[in-house]
Amino acid sequence: MFSKSKINEPGPKQADATPAAPASAAPAAPAASDYTSSMPKAKPAASLLSSDLHITGNVKTTGDIQVEGTVEGDIRAHLLTVGETATIKGEITADDVVINGRIVGRVRGLKVRLTSTARVEGDIIHKTIAIESGAHFEGSVQRQDDPLNPGGRKSAPAAAPAPSAAVQAATAAHKAEG
């Protein structure tokens, strides 16, 4: 059931005839990757754009962002939280979007939530949406299976497959005859 670890067992004995290693030589330490591979990676904290920050330009990350200031440009993130004091003028694309502040522009997200303090002027393309009472919204709402992809398919049935080349040739020959 229990076994003794080989780490604490003594290594093979060296013969007395073999010269001893210099005192400065230490046994090799295990590589750092030996420890990190078994440890789960900690998720980094969300990046905070404070209320006194004004960004002109696009922001892109695979992590999380909390915006309290002003952004004039597009934002792409995993989780975007728009604070009550925040204003974003541009397109937002994120897996999860929580809006407490003001957005002027299109919102694309798998899960979009407008809280009671949200003010959105623009279209929302989503997979799931929640709009709390008191939220202000001017625009259209459109559900898509893949809202993060600009050419994403709507949640309508799939189109019929294209006819084969043989069917197309036969149809063209039939039209030419008639």
Side-chain angles (χ1 to χ4, degrees), residues 24-46:
S24 63
S33 63
D34 291 346
Y35 294 113
T36 57
S37 64
S38 63
M39 298 290 292
K41 292 185 180 179
K43 185 177 178 185

Side-chain angles (χ1 to χ4, degrees), residues 55 82 119 161 167:
I55 294 178
V82 181
R119 297 185 56 84
V167 172

Side-chain angles (χ1 to χ4, degrees), residues 120-143:
V120 177
E121 299 170 31
D123 299 340
I124 298 177
I125 301 168
H126 65 90
K127 189 168 184 179
T128 62
I129 189 166
I131 303 175
E132 291 182 3
S133 177
H136 177 83
F137 172 61
E138 293 181 32
S140 67
V141 178
Q142 182 179 14
R143 186 192 182 290

Side-chain angles (χ1 to χ4, degrees), residues 14 22 44 49 58 71 98 144 160 167 170 176:
Q14 291 183 349
L49 305 180
N58 299 337
V71 176
V98 179
Q144 287 186 357
V167 172

Side-chain angles (χ1 to χ4, degrees), residues 30 50 52 61 72 92 149-150 153 157:
S50 66
D52 64 340
T61 181
E72 292 183 29
I92 291 173
N149 182 3
R153 198 180 108 237

Side-chain angles (χ1 to χ4, degrees), residues 49 54-60 65 67 69-77 80 82 87-93 102-107:
L49 305 180
H54 180 98
I55 294 178
T56 303
N58 299 337
V59 178
K60 183 177 181 180
I65 300 178
V67 178
T70 303
V71 176
E72 292 183 29
D74 300 342
I75 298 178
R76 170 111 183 152
L80 174 65
V82 181
T87 300
I88 298 174
K89 295 180 180 178
E91 182 169 343
I92 291 173
T93 305
R102 182 170 185 242
I103 294 179
V104 178
R106 178 179 294 145
V107 177

